[in-house]
Amino acid sequence: MTFESGRTRRCFLCRAAMLAPSDRRLIDAQGRERVFPVACVSCGILTERDADPAESWQHLAQRLRGPTFVPDPDAPYGLDIYTLRTAATRLGRGLRPLAPEDRTALLAPHSLLTAHAALYDLADGPPVSLGLLCRPAELDAVLAGLASQAGWTDDVAILLDGKAEPPRAVTVAGFAPGAVRVARRPLAGDFAAQRNTLQELARHAWMLQLDTDETIVPETGRLLPALAALAEDGGVLSVGLPRCNRVDGVLSDVYPDVQYRLNRTSVRYAGRVHERPAVDGGWRHSFIALHGAIEHRLSRSHVRARSRDYEALDPGRGRPEEEDALLRPYRD
């Protein structure tokens, strides 16, 4: 979307260039109704047209640091509890509904109720597996880079493109024997099928999937179990992370390019290319986390070839229009 509010083309919360005209309204605890003219289609936050992005985030961040989020009726923004959950993750925090109606609102977004919730620091949660799609020629480099992720996961599955072979254990520093396994399966031009096979290789109920040209810093990984717990508490099956596309080292304008890669292992992907989790109930059973990002390294030549290759694999879904956007440097 190219709509711009009075001061910016990007959302002050999630940074997506997905602002749109809105007639959404929120009702506070006193029954007062407020209509907002601008909404972020990505994270769902609402704003006044002339809201200052920096001041809005500063105001919201201050309220996110306490034990309870209490909305300010005079703030230049508004949000329901679904969007509040995403906002809290930007500071490494989670939320719990305070009343039955708040939980109902969380499970059925977007609600008319203004957000109100208890806040806490994200800490512990269920174990999360790491899954990696890999070409055979890249395996040695992938294994060499795995040690940095040993602080947050004890289960790694690597799926190579090639003649089908069952998983075999490989030794990687920092991981227990048998924790890292390598399997093979022919890609055959179907990325969703490859990701679904990777899901099946996980030993835990949640898996983060990455490609070999993607990585996360260990600090981002350490909060993934807590995000999984936050998701389970809210009936969520899929969590999206921002992705920073760096073309020859330069951040692309295609940002945050949210990728839904932290999923319950029961979730299946759909789409031969540009595959996404096929979640029952759609986006309402997912949310975006802002505590960290996936780093994606690309070359200009790869960007130019990618759309054509994808279009050949799945006509009509290659997104050739994305090529120019990926090659544009980031701007606010």
Side-chain angles (χ1 to χ4, degrees):
M1 292 189 180
T2 57
F3 174 85
E4 299 192 19
S5 71
R7 295 174 183 255
T8 183
R9 64 191 281 259
R10 292 189 180 271
C11 170
F12 82 84
L13 174 59
C14 73
R15 308 308 300 157
M18 297 181 69
L19 300 179
S22 170
D23 59 1
R24 278 183 56 198
R25 57 195 176 97
L26 291 173
I27 301 172
D28 67 17
Q30 286 70 46
R32 294 172 298 198
E33 181 177 305
R34 184 176 173 188
V35 178
F36 291 87
V38 179
C40 175
V41 177
S42 183
C43 71
I45 202 158
L46 307 172
T47 69
E48 297 293 348
R49 185 174 294 275
D50 61 350
D52 181 272
E55 291 179 3
S56 296
W57 169 243
Q58 183 178 21
H59 183 279
L60 176 56
Q62 182 178 5
R63 289 183 171 260
L64 289 171
R65 292 189 174 97
T68 305
F69 180 83
V70 179
D72 178 355
D74 297 319
Y77 61 85
L79 65 172
D80 67 350
I81 192 171
Y82 174 88
T83 298
L84 177 63
R85 177 173 54 192
T86 286
T89 65
R90 184 166 164 179
L91 296 183
R93 311 204 77 195
L95 62 73
R96 296 185 182 94
L98 288 171
E101 57 267 29
D102 296 319
R103 180 159 185 82
T104 298
L106 181 64
L107 298 177
H110 283 293
S111 170
L112 295 177
L113 297 181
T114 299
H116 191 211
L119 300 172
Y120 64 92
D121 293 334
L122 294 172
D124 301 318
V128 174
S129 298
L130 173 62
L132 296 161
L133 293 183
C134 185
R135 297 183 182 91
E138 300 165 331
L139 179 59
D140 288 345
V142 168
L143 294 175
L146 270 183
S148 64
Q149 308 300 336
W152 66 267
T153 186
D154 62 359
D155 178 47
V156 180
I158 301 171
L159 185 59
L160 303 180
D161 176 18
K163 183 179 178 181
E165 292 181 4
R168 60 180 176 85
V170 295
T171 300
V172 176
F175 289 91
V180 180
R181 292 153 295 124
V182 178
R184 291 177 183 260
R185 179 189 181 278
L187 174 62
D190 191 335
F191 287 92
Q194 204 77 340
R195 291 202 185 279
N196 292 337
T197 298
L198 198 51
Q199 290 280 87
E200 294 169 0
L201 293 174
R203 289 169 170 162
H204 299 313
W206 288 84
M207 172 177 264
L208 175 76
Q209 289 205 19
L210 296 174
D211 297 337
T212 52
D213 56 3
E214 297 172 333
T215 189
I216 59 170
V217 297
E219 292 75 16
T220 297
R222 278 193 281 271
L223 282 187
L224 293 179
L227 281 177
L230 180 64
E232 290 181 350
D233 188 55
V236 162
L237 302 173
S238 181
V239 180
L241 298 176
R243 184 169 70 173
C244 299
N245 296 300
R246 300 190 187 275
V247 181
D248 292 335
V250 178
L251 180 63
S252 166
D253 202 42
V254 180
Y255 176 83
D257 192 22
V258 173
Q259 301 293 306
Y260 288 86
R261 298 287 189 78
L262 177 61
N263 293 282
R264 292 280 302 191
T265 50
S266 59
V267 170
R268 290 296 173 263
Y269 285 79
R272 292 178 63 85
V273 299
H274 296 301
E275 65 286 357
R276 290 173 65 89
V279 177
D280 291 340
W283 64 270
R284 291 172 176 82
H285 292 283
S286 66
F287 71 86
I288 299 169
L290 301 176
H291 77 295
I294 297 170
E295 289 287 332
H296 187 204
R297 303 174 305 279
L298 299 147
S299 66
R300 291 182 69 87
S301 59
H302 176 72
V303 170
R304 294 197 179 282
R306 188 180 77 153
S307 295
R308 292 187 289 274
D309 292 343
Y310 284 1
E311 186 67 16
L313 289 172
D314 196 357
R317 290 179 51 84
R319 299 183 193 170
E321 72 282 356
E322 194 174 77
E323 178 180 320
D324 290 341
L326 276 169
L327 293 176
R328 283 197 303 269
Y330 175 89
R331 71 178 180 90
D332 283 328

